[in-house]
Amino acid sequence: MEQDAEGKHTITQNGTTFSLTIRNAAKEDEAKFTINLRNKSGSASCSAMVIVGIMEWRTVQWKQVPMITTLKNFKVSNEEVRELLFLLLGPIGAGKSSIINTIKGIFEGHQFIDCLAASDSTGKSFTTKYQKFSIGTLPFALYDMMGLEKDQKNGEPEGVHSDHIISALKGHISDNYEFKPKVPMYEDSKYYIRDPTLNDKIHCLVSVIAADRVTLMDDKVIQKIKTIRAEASKLGDQPTQLVFMTRVDTACTLTQEDLTKTYQSKKIKEKMEECSTKLGVPMNCIFPLKNYHEENKMNEKLNCLVLEAFTQAVYSANVYVKRFSCKEKHAE
Ligand SMILES: Nc1nc2c(ncn2[C@@H]2O[C@H](COP(=O)(O)OP(=O)(O)OP(=O)(O)O)[C@@H](O)[C@H]2O)c(=O)[nH]1
Ligand SMILES: [Mg+2]
C-alpha cells in the first residue's frame, strides 16, 4: 500500500490489479488519472477520467411501464375539461419541439418526428406556428411555439412577442396560428378566440431551458421569460408553471454515459441551481431531461427521465383545472 503525505490518495495492489482510492472525494478531485508501469520488458500506461458524483437527491423509478400505465389511466379531475393543455416556452433551439416528439414517441412506442425539430445553427426559430399536438387518445395536448429571441435586433423586433404568449395563455389563440413577430395579433383574425373557455386556456406553462446554455443565455431572453412568468402569475386564474431543463447529455459527461446518474450529477445540480436563480423558479419545479435527437432506438432510461417530468406537469395542470370543477366549487 502506498499513500501520499495527506492520506488523500492510497494505491493498493492485489496481484496484477492496482486500485487508487481518493478519500473524501470532492469536485476538485475530478481529473484524468494515469498509471505508468515499467519493467525490463518495457513500459505501459493506462488512464481513467474520474468524475465525482454526489448522493442522489431525487429518486426516479427507472421503469417505464408503471409510469406509462399511470398516465394512460389518468383521469382529469374536472369533467368539463377534455384535455390538459401545456404550452412550451423558451429560447430558440432549447428543445421545445423535440420534447413533443419525445413524449409522443414514448406513448406510441416508436420515435416520432411529426413536430419538426431543427438543427440549431440558423439562429432563427425553426417553429413558426402555434401548433397543438395531442398524444394519442390521452387527455393531454402540448402546444409548440416559436422560440424567444432578444427583442431588438438591428432595431427590429425578433422572435415571438410576449403579448402573443400572454394571449395564448388566456386561450385567445387557436391552433395553427402563424407567428409574425412584427405584427400584433388582431382580434378580428380567424385565429383569435374572443371568449375562451377552460378548454382553450393553457393549464400549465412549461419553460424549456437547455442545460448546456443556461450560463450563456442572453440577459434579454431571460428577462423576457421572467416577464412572461410574472405576467402569467398575475392572471386571475394563473396556470401552474414548471421548467424542463433539456440537453442534460451535452452538459454533463457522467449523465451522457448513464442517464440514471442525472440526479447524482453535481454538474446537473449546478445547472438547475443556475436556472433556479436566473429565472426565479424553485428547484422542485425544475426537471432535467434528454430528448431523442440522434438515436434511432427507444431508450428506457431516457423515457423515464422525460416521464418523470411530464407526470409532474400533468399533476400540476390537473391541480389547476380541479379548481374550476363543479364538485370543488360546491365544496367551497
Ligand atoms: N443532445 C441533445 N440535443 C437535443 C436535445 N433536445 C433537442 N436537441 C437538439 O437541439 C436542436 C434544437 O431542438 P428543437 O427541438 O428544434 O428546439 P426548439 O426549441 O423547438 O427550437 P425553435 O423551434 O427553433 O425555437 C435540435 O438539433 C435537436 O436535435 C437533447 O436533449 N439533447
Ligand atoms: Mg421548435
Side-chain angles (χ1 to χ4, degrees), residues 97 116 127 144-145:
S97 303
L116 285 179
T127 306
D144 195 12
M145 69 148 45

Side-chain angles (χ1 to χ4, degrees), residues 254-283:
L254 180 72
T255 307
Q256 185 181 40
E257 281 164 12
D258 181 357
L259 285 174
T260 63
K261 296 280 187 334
T262 305
Y263 288 113
Q264 289 167 41
S265 156
K266 195 155 194 274
K267 192 74 176 230
I268 296 300
K269 197 167 187 203
E270 278 168 12
K271 294 289 171 195
M272 287 169 65
E273 280 162 353
E274 204 174 338
C275 210
S276 165
T277 315
K278 284 195 170 173
L279 298 182
V281 187
M283 283 290 272

Side-chain angles (χ1 to χ4, degrees), residues 88 90-97 116-130 144-149 153 158-160 178-179 181:
L88 300 178
I92 292 170
K96 301 177 291 300
S97 303
L116 285 179
S119 74
D120 48 359
S121 53
T122 58
K124 288 254 170 284
S125 185
F126 193 73
T127 306
T128 54
K129 265 190 184 170
Y130 184 63
D144 195 12
M145 69 148 45
M146 193 175 188
L148 295 172
E149 278 180 54
K153 213 176 194 181
E158 296 275 332
V160 63
E178 182 88 32
F179 287 111

